Amino acid sequence: MPVTPASHHTVPASRRVLAVMVMVPLLAALALWAFAWPATRMAPRDLPLGVAGPAAAAAPLEQRLASHEGAFEIHRYADEAAARAALENREVYGAVVATPQGPHLLTASAASPAVAQLLTQALASQAPAGAQAVPVTDVVPAPVADARGTGFGASVLPLALAGVAAGALVSLSGLRGGRAVTAVLGAATLVGLTGAALAHSWLGVLSGNWWAEAGVLALTVAAIAGGVAGLHALLGKAGIGLGALLIVLLGNPFSGAAGAPQLLPEPAGLIGQWLPPGAGSSLLRSVAFFDGAAAAGPALVLSVWAVLGVTAIVFAGRRSAPAAPAASSLPAPSAPAPVDAAPAPAPRP
């Protein structure tokens, strides 16, 4: 008689259809909100801006800038040299210098071409009618091959996708413990080298130290891949979905790479800098254009993500490792007693 296999509990088809019909619109709405909301609400919010020059001449400039309530965070500098140093150290995005001939705008388009253009337009709009155009000096210019910063901004999504893919492949391939960590770090290193070769050597988007840029790209991918693989180690397959949600749907549009974190609506800019895409883009700007200025914060964020991810991978690998069989404490079974020979049959009478 054939044996009927035990039936497994499955979700009814109607429920699966309903789940797909509900989840897809929700994901689409989340993606539209995450990408479209910051893009349509870009405006300066506490954007660091310097004002330099003698107090008597700089005060009117400072008052005019402060009239844009909440737009600028004003930093005072004694002279133009101090303002230039602040731009090179990434303390401010621009500075207005009061001179006898009128205001002089200093920008750093390498920090954000969008902000440099915004400051130029804002200062020109405040000039009296018929006044001479405000001179502008780009202290730290963006690379000629990427003067608008579009190439730099477009580099965030490929890094995010590469990191998520690496973390998912390591998790789903069954690698655990040290092998999983080796795969994550190895993939991140190769992505960093490849990214530097493309962005620096071929496209000219980056212009700093080649090896430092490769290291930043590798650290960014390691933070993303380690985070995704670590979430999988803790939560299972749902961890991969959560990691992709954080990195692609939030980290990418909230990174501020196409403009600046201070141009995004609150708290998107702050959240973005605590996620690997935003921290990675900030660190890459510092290394590629500013000789490492203001690199400590984003480097710490990426390191925390990478270390926490690797720790979760190692912990889960040890937890799932099969335990060695313990030696039995029971005494060994004794050999069976010999069976006596059958008695001889009794003689017949």
Side-chain angles (χ1 to χ4, degrees), residues 170 175-189 310 313-314:
V170 167
L175 295 176
R176 298 292 181 268
R179 293 183 177 180
V181 173
T182 301
V184 165
L185 298 182
T189 301
V310 167
I313 294 170
V314 173

Side-chain angles (χ1 to χ4, degrees), residues 194-214:
T194 304
L198 294 174
H200 183 116
S201 304
W202 180 41
L203 299 175
V205 173
L206 307 176
S207 59
N209 181 275
W210 195 95
W211 291 103
E213 293 165 354

Side-chain angles (χ1 to χ4, degrees), residues 280-297:
S281 63
S282 294
L283 181 58
L284 188 59
R285 280 194 191 278
S286 294
V287 169
F289 309 126
F290 295 90
D291 294 328

Side-chain angles (χ1 to χ4, degrees), residues 95 116 159 230 334:
L159 287 178
S334 56

Side-chain angles (χ1 to χ4, degrees), residues 151-319:
F152 187 94
S155 65
V156 176
L157 182 58
L159 287 178
L161 294 177
V164 171
L169 288 174
V170 167
S171 302
L172 299 178
S173 62
L175 295 176
R176 298 292 181 268
R179 293 183 177 180
V181 173
T182 301
V184 165
L185 298 182
T189 301
L190 292 177
V191 171
L193 295 173
T194 304
L198 294 174
H200 183 116
S201 304
W202 180 41
L203 299 175
V205 173
L206 307 176
S207 59
N209 181 275
W210 195 95
W211 291 103
E213 293 165 354
V216 171
L217 294 173
L219 179 58
T220 303
V221 175
I224 297 172
V228 171
L231 287 171
H232 173 268
L234 298 175
L235 304 176
K237 291 184 179 180
I240 298 177
L242 177 60
L245 177 70
L246 289 174
I247 300 301
V248 178
L249 289 187
L250 292 182
N252 182 52
F254 289 4
S255 66
Q262 293 84 358
L263 295 182
L264 300 177
E266 297 177 353
L270 178 61
I271 294 173
Q273 294 306 299
W274 284 101
L275 295 173
S281 63
S282 294
L283 181 58
L284 188 59
R285 280 194 191 278
S286 294
V287 169
F289 309 126
F290 295 90
D291 294 328
L300 178 61
V301 172
L302 293 176
S303 300
V304 169
W305 272 85
V307 169
L308 290 179
V310 167
T311 302
I313 294 170
V314 173
F315 174 76
R318 291 181 178 178
R319 184 180 58 184

Side-chain angles (χ1 to χ4, degrees), residues 77-91:
Y77 299 101
D79 51 26
E80 182 176 342
R84 285 176 175 267
L87 282 166
E88 293 169 352
N89 292 329
R90 297 202 71 186
E91 296 175 9

